[in-house]
Amino acid sequence: EKYSSTTRAPEPQTGADWHTHRLTPTTLGVARPMVRLRLHPSFGVCLRDQEQRWVSLEQALAAKAAALSAAEEEIKTSAGSVVALLACSPAVLEAATELAAAASASCVVESGFVLPFQPRSFRDAGSYVQHMSQAVRGFVAVAGKEGHLLQMALSQIGKSLRLPFGVNPAARPGYYHGNPCTFIADGDEAPWPSTCGWLDYELEVAVLITRPVSREATAAEVAAALGGFVLINDFSARDVQADELVSVGFGFVKCKAAATAMGLDVVSSDELWAPGDRGSLFEGRGLRVEVKVNGEAWRGAGGEQSSTGMARACSLEALVRYMALDEGLQPGELIGMGTVPNCCGLEIGRWLQPGDEVALSAEGLGTLTNTVGHPPATAQNFKEVDCGGGAPPGRLRTALRCALLAVALPPLTFALMVGGALSALLWRGPAGVLRSPAPTVPAIRRAADKRR
């Protein structure tokens, strides 16, 4: 499978009941139970039973008069961790389901749930094609008002004309490494970043890794490692992001580091997904999602409700395999699959304000509500942050630079385009008109030994 291929599941046979489609062990051809979990600070992992009760597994085990079975003993060792429980065998998860169903009312927990797990690491991708294209257009307004429009336009030209693109598309799933230490739970206040003027929300579905993934993972290995899905809100400082993209050069640094919110419910992967991107998460229109700010639904220009089944740059399996390449993945790592189209302010031209209540909802994954905090007293513009690098160039110096570029760029651009045309024809890469085999690692080592 090519990473650059766009994947979208076929439309359902009937349009009226797409949102009610749900995977079952029969449709998946597996016997692993489907569970929905939450975490309580005092009662450990709670499992929702068929009566919609949240049953504490620790309390249910403590209430048993008979000796514990082997599966129940394993539940006992895992009942304090959502990650550990989702990594258990199908037999253990089935025993946990039966344990919750037989539990008395004294084992039921009504409130007080907390962040279901602390991510070991957080990677967040840009999987949805429509979001990425609309986000670029949305950044025009931000970049124009923040003084980055010229730099952003030049960087986009550079990206579109890079040499591998001239010969063969070299697209890979784009993602960044976020901060796993600044996750907040449903109901928590989302802090306003001290250098932010344009604060944004992003509705995403994230997948939890519950088993190790090797550096050269197979499809079966990836499928076994996807333990569950959870709803997240990737709060983003868009003016800081625009500045970092064109000046810092290292990608996202501070623009997404202040806070990421996570829903309370972790849904086992088998309930929503199966290999081949089957299941209600991606099949047909996918899961319906909604963003409300202060009770008002914020949607795209057409006013249509968004969903998770829209076109993506690659399959979930390909995304995870690429993230594991040369690194591997470990239990507890969290992977965001990207903003669902029209589910961020950057795409629809609306921005959060201090005190706003942001409520996200996703079919099958529950809700996630947070109130936006107020800027700290020490708040300042991102450009004014002084780390000892000296004063920025003045207006006159910047104007002179732009005037010089206006004179020098036309002939320089012409020369570069001619050179690019020749390079596209003569480049000795893995694909092209006059291609030759790329050197292998052993060949490179033999050449180095000869030089020695």
Side-chain angles (χ1 to χ4, degrees):
E1 178 181 11
K2 294 183 179 179
Y3 292 120
S4 58
S5 63
T6 298
T7 59
R8 182 169 184 173
E11 292 293 328
Q13 297 296 322
T14 58
D17 61 350
W18 65 268
H19 57 283
T20 61
H21 175 66
R22 176 187 172 100
L23 286 176
T24 65
T26 302
T27 60
L28 289 179
V30 298
R32 188 160 60 176
M34 302 172 192
V35 297
R36 187 175 297 253
L37 306 175
R38 285 185 178 181
L39 184 67
H40 192 279
S42 301
F43 304 122
V45 177
C46 299
L47 187 150
R48 195 176 76 173
D49 66 6
Q50 293 183 349
E51 298 179 3
Q52 312 303 308
R53 304 181 307 167
W54 289 102
V55 178
S56 166
L57 296 178
E58 290 182 351
Q59 295 295 305
L61 288 170
K64 284 202 65 173
L68 300 182
S69 65
E72 289 171 337
E73 288 289 354
E74 190 169 348
I75 294 173
K76 185 176 181 179
T77 62
S78 305
S81 167
V82 168
V83 177
L85 188 63
L86 286 174
C88 290
S89 67
V92 173
L93 292 178
E94 182 65 38
T97 303
E98 294 173 356
L99 181 67
S104 64
S106 63
C107 303
V108 176
V109 180
E110 300 289 348
S111 60
F113 300 105
V114 295
L115 196 71
F117 60 92
Q118 184 65 52
R120 185 172 184 170
S121 75
F122 176 51
R123 296 172 177 84
D124 201 2
S127 298
Y128 286 95
V129 177
Q130 184 178 339
H131 165 71
M132 298 303 291
S133 62
Q134 292 181 163
V136 171
R137 292 194 293 269
F139 262 119
V140 172
V142 180
K145 292 186 178 181
E146 294 298 321
H148 299 305
L149 193 57
L150 175 61
Q151 297 98 315
M152 187 162 290
L154 292 175
S155 66
Q156 288 298 318
I157 293 173
K159 289 179 182 178
S160 64
L161 292 176
R162 66 189 186 277
L163 179 58
F165 188 87
V167 181
N168 188 41
R172 296 292 184 271
Y175 69 94
Y176 71 93
H177 288 260
N179 189 346
C181 300
T182 55
F183 269 77
I184 59 176
D186 177 76
D188 290 346
E189 181 180 273
W192 189 284
S194 63
T195 58
C196 174
W198 303 57
L199 186 61
D200 199 2
Y201 60 91
E202 294 187 86
L203 184 154
E204 303 186 30
V205 176
V207 60
L208 171 64
I209 302 298
T210 55
R211 295 181 182 178
V213 180
S214 66
R215 296 185 176 194
E216 297 180 359
T218 63
E221 188 179 352
V222 169
L226 304 185
F229 294 100
V230 65
L231 183 64
I232 65 172
N233 188 347
D234 179 26
F235 288 100
S236 303
R238 295 302 191 187
D239 48 340
V240 179
Q241 183 177 359
D243 192 278
E244 290 177 341
L245 286 172
V246 300
S247 62
V248 177
F250 286 147
F252 302 155
V253 182
K254 283 292 185 182
C255 62
K256 293 174 175 284
T260 303
M262 182 192 298
L264 298 178
D265 297 0
V266 180
V267 180
S268 61
S269 59
D270 286 337
E271 184 169 343
L272 302 175
W273 179 88
D277 280 352
R278 294 183 296 120
S280 55
L281 181 59
F282 297 129
E283 276 190 322
R285 296 182 184 178
L287 308 177
R288 292 185 295 186
V289 298
E290 184 80 276
V291 177
K292 290 186 177 180
V293 179
N294 300 324
E296 177 190 357
W298 283 18
R299 298 180 178 179
E304 296 181 0
Q305 192 171 7
S306 298
S307 61
T308 60
M310 303 181 77
R312 290 168 291 123
C314 65
S315 67
L316 177 56
E317 176 196 307
L319 176 65
V320 175
R321 290 177 66 184
Y322 181 66
M323 288 183 175
L325 182 65
D326 295 332
E327 300 178 56
L329 296 171
Q330 297 300 320
E333 299 198 62
L334 186 67
I335 296 173
M337 292 184 287
T339 306
V340 178
N342 296 316
C343 289
C344 73
L346 183 65
E347 295 181 69
I348 65 175
R350 305 187 70 171
W351 306 96
L352 298 178
Q353 299 296 324
D356 282 348
E357 181 188 75
V358 186
L360 311 184
S361 61
E363 192 176 27
L365 289 170
T367 61
L368 172 58
T369 303
N370 301 95
T371 301
V372 179
H374 289 74
T378 56
Q380 59 181 325
N381 189 283
F382 184 70
K383 300 183 186 66
E384 298 172 353
V385 177
D386 184 11
C387 294
R395 292 176 180 268
L396 179 59
R397 184 178 178 184
T398 301
L400 290 175
R401 282 182 176 180
C402 290
L404 178 61
L405 288 174
V407 175
L409 274 181
L412 180 60
T413 302
F414 177 78
L416 289 174
M417 293 303 100
V418 172
L422 294 175
S423 298
L425 293 173
L426 303 176
W427 183 51
R428 297 169 64 85
V433 178
L434 303 177
R435 66 181 181 181
S436 62
T440 62
V441 173
I444 294 174
R445 290 174 177 168
R446 286 195 299 270
D449 291 340
K450 288 181 180 179
R451 286 195 295 270
R452 293 194 190 96

